[in-house]
Amino acid sequence: MRTASPAAMEIVKATAPALEKHGVEITTAMYARLLQDPEIAAMFDRAAQESGEQPRRLAGAILAYAKNIDKLQNLGSAVQRMVARHVETGVRPEHYPHVAAALLPAIREVLGAEVATDDVLAAWGEAYWMLADILIAAEAQAYEEASAA
């Protein structure tokens, strides 16, 4: 399982104020990229996208992650809810690269290259894959438990 370096964690934590201010704009831009893939778009509740509920929910989750990246135990219930939702909608490990490919450019697009420097995006890349690995492992266990039931 991948982990983010201490330097990456510090950078991610330092971006929390920008995420607090621009998080919904970032997640809205991310979903605009991600949902261009019809197979991925079919996994999402269109009403939650159109109402802005899904971008707001994800922005809140990303902000909580940024603030707690060095204290992941604080996110236990949020991660459990995310895993349950992902299993319910059929998220698989092969979907995670698509999200990274939509999220990281959206961060730069919204915050600008002066703020979302290469170092910031690299740190968020490390942070993203650390969380993705946690989710993928938990989802694999949940899928296994569901198939055994």
Side-chain angles (χ1 to χ4, degrees):
M1 203 169 289
R2 291 170 274 199
T3 60
S5 68
M9 288 185 188
E10 283 307 309
I11 290 170
V12 166
K13 285 179 76 87
T15 64
L19 291 173
E20 199 149 17
K21 186 173 182 183
H22 301 286
V24 173
E25 194 178 347
I26 291 168
T27 57
T28 299
M30 183 211 80
Y31 280 121
R33 291 172 187 273
L34 185 64
L35 299 180
Q36 289 177 10
D37 181 323
E39 183 182 317
I40 292 175
M43 298 172 73
F44 284 88
D45 175 352
R46 297 304 296 174
Q49 287 297 322
E50 291 165 11
S51 71
E53 177 190 343
Q54 182 65 35
R56 279 191 304 277
R57 207 175 355 184
L58 181 59
I62 292 171
L63 178 61
Y65 181 54
K67 289 180 172 182
N68 292 282
I69 191 167
D70 56 348
K71 300 181 288 292
L72 293 180
Q73 66 275 13
N74 292 348
L75 302 175
S77 61
V79 168
Q80 288 172 343
R81 284 192 305 275
M82 204 177 302
V83 167
R85 183 70 179 142
H86 284 180
V87 170
E88 181 182 310
T89 58
V91 172
R92 296 288 180 183
E94 59 268 21
H95 295 122
Y96 283 87
H98 296 283
V99 175
L103 176 61
L104 297 175
I107 292 171
R108 178 162 281 163
E109 174 187 319
V110 171
L111 298 182
E114 324 71 55
V115 175
T117 63
D118 290 345
D119 288 344
V120 167
L121 290 185
W124 267 102
E126 286 184 39
Y128 174 81
W129 285 110
M130 181 173 83
L131 180 58
D133 284 352
I134 291 167
L135 293 172
I136 289 167
E139 289 159 10
Q141 184 177 344
Y143 281 123
E144 191 175 303
E145 289 169 3
S147 71

